[in-house]
Amino acid sequence: MDNGTELAIRAIIRALFQSGAINRQQVQGIMSALKEAAGGAQDNRDSETAKELAALSKHIHLDTAVPPSSDERRVP
């Protein structure tokens, strides 16, 4: 994913959240889906994509100040 694409995705999610079009749980769902996709990419030995998706999730967290869902914070 190029930098422009990542920035556009982050800006859209941030704007939707700040405007109230999506709520905290929906942002958490987006972050969770990105982490699941990163895991799938890792399973397919596409570590670069996995890193990009995990970073995108982290940046969305930083942009919105929405913490990961409680399920994601539990580390076995």
Side-chain angles (χ1 to χ4, degrees):
M1 169 179 356
D2 64 53
N3 192 41
T5 301
E6 179 183 345
L7 292 173
I9 292 167
R10 290 172 56 192
I12 291 166
I13 293 170
R14 183 177 53 247
L16 289 170
F17 178 67
Q18 290 175 346
S19 71
I22 60 175
N23 62 33
R24 176 182 170 179
Q25 290 78 21
Q26 291 166 316
V27 173
Q28 289 173 330
I30 292 167
M31 291 188 294
S32 180
L34 288 168
K35 288 182 180 181
E36 286 179 23
Q42 191 66 40
D43 290 345
N44 289 328
R45 299 192 173 148
D46 187 354
S47 61
E48 189 62 32
T49 298
K51 288 178 191 176
E52 291 172 349
L53 292 170
L56 179 56
S57 177
K58 179 181 177 181
H59 291 137
I60 290 169
H61 161 66
L62 295 173
D63 290 344
T64 62
V66 172
S69 69
S70 59
D71 291 341
E72 291 179 26
R73 285 185 285 197
R74 282 189 230 136
V75 178

